[in-house]
Structures are given as C-alpha cells and as structure tokens.
Amino acid sequence: MQDSFNFDCRDCPRLAGFLDQVRRDHPAYHARPVPPFGDAAAELLIVGLAPGMHGANRSGRPFTGDHAGILLYRSLHEFGFASRAISEAADDALVLNNCRISNAVKCLPPQNKPLPEEIRCCNRYLAAELRQQPPRVILALGAIAHQAVLMACGLKRTGFKFAHRAVHSLPAASASGIRLYDSYHCSRYNTQTKRLTEAMFHAVFRDILAELEQR
C-alpha cells in the first residue's frame, strides 16, 4: 500500500461506493478523497473527522463550504494562521500561515460516521503526514480525531484521555515530541448547542499560540 495521499484511493469499499453515488447525484462536487490544505512545513496541524457532504466533499478543501468551517477559519484568521476569515473554495485566495488542516478520514462517510475499520485503513495517510513533515503541535477536533492521531503515532489511548482543552505530550520516540491539543469539534451541533462556544475555541488557540511562541 502507498502511504502518500491518493485521489483515486478505493481501499474502503463502502466509502468508495458511496462517493460513486454522490458523483452521480452531484456531478459538480469534488466527491473524491480530500487532500490536506495549508503549509506543508507548518508547526500546527489541525485534524478533523472527515469531509462533510456539502462542505469539503463539494469544494475539495477541508472545512470549506459548511457550517463547521465558519468558526474554524474565523479563529485561524483571528490568531494569525490564515490570511482571511472565510474559506469559500479550493481555488480562492486564502493562504494558511504555519498551519495545515487534514482529516482522520479523507473520504465522505455516510451520515458523517466512518466505521472503525475505515478509520484504521485511512490512518496510514495521517501517519505518513506526520513522518514527512512532523508538526510541533497537533490540534485534534473531537475524540475520533484525537484517537486517529494516537494511532498514527503508534500510541495506545491509555494515558491520553480526550477532553476539551486537554494537552498531551506525546513520547519523542513515537511522535518527535509533538504536543497534542484537544478541542470539541466545531460542528453545527456543538456550536448551536453551546457545547463549544467561540470563547472556548479561542482559549484553545491562545494556548497553542503560547506554546509555539515559547520554543
């Protein structure tokens, strides 16, 4: 198996079949695996869950075109990681600064719920990203992203419990001394129910910025 990103990957039969149907229903959509976006040598890597149907799956850029991207890109701009506060399309003028965005699963899953075996199968791409350009800090958006990062680093969940605004020092032998920050996912559900507020999200980014500035 190749570990580098593959636009034509069909290793998960359920996801491949679902994307075939999406392409038939929405011919103008990207409807393929969605590549990481941003600075290849960034110190900050943000990991989400998977492309959204009418967001990244449509646009071809992570968190672009759906509700989840509104708070994320606004926050990235607020803290100097993005040249503008809105991500509109994969070919717009937005530039990320010292930041890269990826997903635990690169293909759109039905009902936004990838199966455990699909997360495991796709994890080699995230592991390759971490080997090729190790960041100093990873921000995991949600528990599944958190677990995917640990898997990509060859670490067990024990000792690295997910919690909003938690910070974990990953062992240098497995992850080059990366610091893993956790946040609730910036999904429509979490923001509308106030499980995640803008103030809570910005507190995480302030922590990350302080981390990057002190080393």
Side-chain angles (χ1 to χ4, degrees):
M1 288 186 181
Q2 297 254 339
D3 289 340
S4 57
F5 180 82
N6 180 8
F7 275 111
D8 299 314
C9 180
R10 296 183 63 86
D11 288 344
C12 299
R14 187 183 76 118
L15 300 188
F18 185 53
L19 283 180
D20 289 343
Q21 182 60 54
V22 170
R23 278 193 295 274
R24 289 191 289 271
D25 295 341
H26 303 280
Y29 278 26
H30 173 79
R32 300 171 71 192
V34 175
F37 166 59
D39 182 354
E43 293 180 293
L44 170 61
L45 172 65
I46 299 172
V47 181
L49 171 56
M53 169 65 89
H54 304 297
N57 177 69
R58 176 183 61 80
S59 65
R61 178 191 283 173
F63 290 90
T64 298
D66 59 11
H67 187 86
I70 296 173
L71 177 57
L72 177 60
Y73 283 107
R74 190 165 65 218
S75 300
L76 290 174
H77 182 254
E78 174 77 16
F79 288 89
F81 292 108
S83 62
R84 52 191 288 188
I86 300 173
S87 179
E88 298 175 306
D91 59 354
D92 67 15
L94 173 66
V95 175
L96 296 187
N97 306 309
N98 202 25
C99 177
R100 188 165 80 253
I101 305 174
S102 191
N103 277 310
V105 175
K106 305 297 190 279
C107 293
L108 168 73
Q111 290 83 50
N112 293 320
K113 294 180 180 179
L115 299 176
E117 57 265 32
E118 293 162 351
I119 297 170
R120 286 193 296 271
C121 183
C122 201
N123 194 254
R124 70 183 189 275
Y125 294 121
L126 182 58
E129 289 178 56
L130 296 181
R131 286 195 306 270
Q132 291 161 8
Q133 294 289 345
R136 283 172 53 189
V137 170
I138 299 174
L139 171 58
L141 301 179
I144 292 177
H146 168 93
Q147 293 162 11
V149 170
L150 296 178
M151 187 187 307
C153 295
L155 298 170
K156 296 181 179 180
R157 298 182 194 179
T158 307
F160 303 98
K161 185 178 180 181
F162 175 83
H164 181 74
R165 211 176 171 186
V167 184
H168 310 275
S169 295
L170 304 185
S174 60
S176 303
I178 293 170
R179 296 266 280 176
L180 172 60
Y181 284 71
D182 291 337
S183 173
Y184 293 139
H185 195 284
C186 47
S187 66
R188 181 190 296 271
Y189 176 82
N190 282 345
T191 56
Q192 288 188 343
T193 61
K194 304 299 184 183
R195 186 179 193 223
L196 178 67
T197 65
E198 186 166 47
M200 291 168 63
F201 204 46
H202 282 187
V204 175
F205 275 97
R206 279 194 295 273
D207 292 344
I208 289 172
L209 204 57
E211 171 86 23
L212 294 177
E213 288 175 347
Q214 74 181 3
R215 290 197 277 164

